[in-house]
Amino acid sequence: MEIRYAGTFDLPLIRQAVALTHRPSLNRRVLTGFLCLLLAAAAVGTVILLFEQPENRANNGLRLVLWLAALLYILLRPVWVNQRTAKRLWNMLQTSPKVRGLITTAGVQAHFGKLELSLPWDQVARTARSPQLTTLLSREGVMVVFPRAFFAAESDWDKLHQWLSEHPPVPQK
């Protein structure tokens, strides 16, 4: 049995797919939150020192700028990386944003104009799902995006998720 899909990509869809695919794990989010709290506490402590030690204002001011820069970097880097990745993918897809393909028991096939992509199930390293979008990430970093709108019938969308549960991702070693 095979599932046919077809559709057209746009930049907001690519951004959504990249954000979904690169969403950090719960452990990573907890660690990042803890680190942000530490940096924020250090910044507050440095502000207090600015008022209590006017003779060291230059050193404490520099320290405050460094704490805030580190905090901003940790908070904004994932957004910046996702936007840059999405823009790069969109630039590659702009020449032929229309895709059509097949999903079979062997894997996924996609056709972007003259470009063909084949992804066997054993090469899928990670999957990500939302109610309207499913993405696959191969071991080589190739991302395959399946919006719900690309499928002619709801049963095809459900069959895709059934096959994904039958062929779980094989994490990289």
Side-chain angles (χ1 to χ4, degrees):
M1 185 172 174
E2 57 187 38
I3 302 170
R4 293 187 181 281
Y5 66 94
T8 303
F9 288 105
D10 60 6
L11 184 57
L13 176 63
I14 297 296
R15 284 184 177 148
Q16 183 183 9
V18 169
L20 179 66
T21 303
H22 294 123
R23 186 168 190 250
S25 67
L26 178 62
N27 288 343
R28 178 100 176 188
R29 289 189 309 245
V30 168
L31 181 62
T32 301
F34 181 71
L35 186 58
C36 286
L37 283 174
L38 284 177
L39 289 170
V44 168
T46 304
V47 168
I48 293 170
L49 285 177
L50 274 170
F51 291 110
E52 290 182 355
Q53 299 177 354
E55 67 277 358
N56 289 334
R57 186 162 279 160
N59 288 338
N60 288 332
L62 179 61
R63 195 173 295 136
L64 178 62
V65 167
L66 292 175
W67 291 132
L68 292 176
L71 183 62
L72 281 174
Y73 177 78
I74 288 171
L75 291 174
L76 295 179
R77 183 180 183 279
V79 173
W80 177 71
V81 168
N82 283 351
Q83 292 294 326
R84 189 181 66 184
T85 302
K87 186 66 174 161
R88 205 168 348 134
L89 285 171
W90 177 244
N91 287 339
M92 288 188 311
L93 282 174
Q94 263 184 324
T95 56
S96 61
K98 293 183 181 190
V99 63
R100 62 179 173 76
L102 286 171
I103 303 169
T104 66
T105 54
V108 176
Q109 296 171 358
H111 305 278
F112 301 91
K114 296 178 184 176
L115 177 67
E116 282 192 32
L117 169 76
S118 182
L119 179 62
W121 290 117
D122 64 350
Q123 293 297 310
V124 176
R126 185 168 29 154
T127 63
R129 298 180 194 175
S130 75
Q132 297 299 319
L133 187 67
T134 298
T135 63
L136 308 177
L137 190 64
S138 76
R139 292 181 184 171
E140 291 81 30
V142 175
M143 184 172 65
V144 182
V145 180
F146 298 111
R148 182 178 239 153
F150 281 19
F151 295 89
E154 189 69 26
S155 60
D156 291 343
W157 177 254
D158 295 337
K159 184 67 175 170
L160 166 67
H161 291 106
Q162 179 185 346
W163 279 348
L164 288 175
S165 63
E166 291 171 5
H167 301 87
V170 180
Q172 290 177 305
K173 295 178 182 178

